[in-house]
Amino acid sequence: MTFPLFLAPEIEASRRLAYTANAIDRQSENRSDDSVATALADPRTRLMLIRDGRVWLKKNEAGFDPWYKRAEAEALSAHLGAAVLLGWDERGPVVAATGGIDAEALPPEVKAIDYRSVTVQGLIDPAALGALAQAGALSAWHATHAFCGRCGKPTEMRAGGYKRVCTGCNAEHFPRTDPVAIMLTISGDRCLMGRGPHFPPGMYSALAGFIEPGETIEAAVRRETFEEAGIRLGRVTYFASQPWPFPFSLMIGCYGEALNDDIRFDAKELQDCRWFSRDEVLAAFAGNHPDSVFVPPKTAVAHHLIRNWVEMA
Ligand SMILES: [Zn+2]
């Protein structure tokens, strides 16, 4: 008998998304305060260097290499004293550190490339992209939690970067992840997409918003869809999730079943919001929509929400 809890496909939809192939064993519970020093003393250790939302990649004939040995990192003035131990993979310890010089001062073989471009252009392999999502999120969290939220005194990194402890009141602070619901609303053979004012011309996407304290994922999906588009939802189902290092979110992709179809969109949030037929979405994917409509790239969960729906016909 099939256990009805596990009717999901064998290949999780999340595995098709960028940033989800992280192969690092974090060992979050088995760290000591000298974890980073121990890792940096290990000749197998590889470092990823980031700074200001960019990852530093070594350009060579084969492409781009995101990994540095300790001596290479030191030559680029990496801040090893504030490095974070991401964990261990089959090649040894993996560490993330902030680069110590401005991008303009880098040697010609090192390129500082923003996370989005690295991802969309597929410059590094999926496992390294997963490590980048972890490194980017942790780095952003450390950069914004130098002081205690309880007493205001400085905090110090501990456990290889997996917590900060207050020097005044000993409060422990742990890295945070902000959940964001992103949902494709379906009505018959149409889906609901909107465009924000900052989108490139022609791009439409699934609606999205932060999950608020005290909310379930389903409640957030229903609230955001009603607030942004005036559409009430019935059933809501989970599709896939994706770490999103801008700066430390988890995108949670869902489908919602529309109960009404008269859109009243929030003009403060959206420039436009409308129904798209399956044929229109197919045309958008094929690049021949009459209004030049297109959807986000395949690195985004929205792309897969839309594609999965349109291919289910
Ligand atoms: Zn404190």
Side-chain angles (χ1 to χ4, degrees), residues 8 98 107 118-119 123 160 253 259 263 279 296:
T98 304
V118 169
T119 309
L123 300 185
L259 297 179
I263 297 168
D279 285 346

Side-chain angles (χ1 to χ4, degrees), residues 42-56:
D42 188 327
R44 297 172 304 159
T45 294
R46 284 133 64 227
L47 291 100
M48 181 173 273
L49 302 181
I50 58 182
R51 183 181 170 98
D52 298 334
R54 297 174 179 190
V55 58
W56 290 3

Side-chain angles (χ1 to χ4, degrees), residues 148 151 166 169:
C148 180
C151 78
C166 177
C169 73

Side-chain angles (χ1 to χ4, degrees), residues 278-295:
R278 192 178 296 274
D279 285 346
E280 269 190 288
V281 174
L282 284 169
F285 275 113
N288 56 18
H289 189 281
D291 301 328
S292 302
V293 166
F294 65 99
V295 301

Side-chain angles (χ1 to χ4, degrees), residues 148-155 166-171 173:
C148 180
R150 184 195 276 173
C151 78
K153 293 280 195 325
T155 59
C166 177
T167 54
C169 73
N170 287 322
H173 303 278

